[in-house]
Amino acid sequence: MSFLDDDRPTKPTAHEIGSDLSMLSADELDSRIGLLKEEIARLEAEKERKTAGRRAADSFFRT
């Protein structure tokens, strides 16, 4: 990797929490809403996985 790689612009994130939404079209807003819903589902699935693991450990050590 050369030092020139540092000068390339970074790819903007799909959505940044708290960013200005006034310049986005309704289609762009729908796209971001979809991305955020997918991320929420991913977070909830991970939370459930961890909660299930915790329940299993609790029940194992209570016996």
Side-chain angles (χ1 to χ4, degrees):
M1 183 155 102
S2 74
F3 68 93
L4 296 176
D5 292 341
D6 295 334
D7 294 334
R8 283 192 269 165
T10 58
K11 183 178 177 182
T13 56
H15 182 74
E16 184 177 326
I17 303 297
S19 63
D20 180 20
L21 305 175
S22 63
M23 300 300 291
L24 298 175
S25 69
D27 288 339
E28 290 170 320
L29 290 169
D30 283 338
S31 176
R32 289 189 183 202
I33 289 168
L35 288 171
L36 291 169
K37 285 181 178 179
E38 289 173 9
E39 183 64 6
I40 289 168
R42 189 177 77 89
L43 289 166
E44 288 175 340
E46 182 66 15
K47 178 184 172 189
E48 180 55 35
R49 187 184 71 76
K50 290 182 183 234
T51 302
R54 177 62 185 250
R55 282 192 306 261
D58 286 346
S59 70
F60 178 77
F61 289 109
R62 284 189 185 152
T63 58

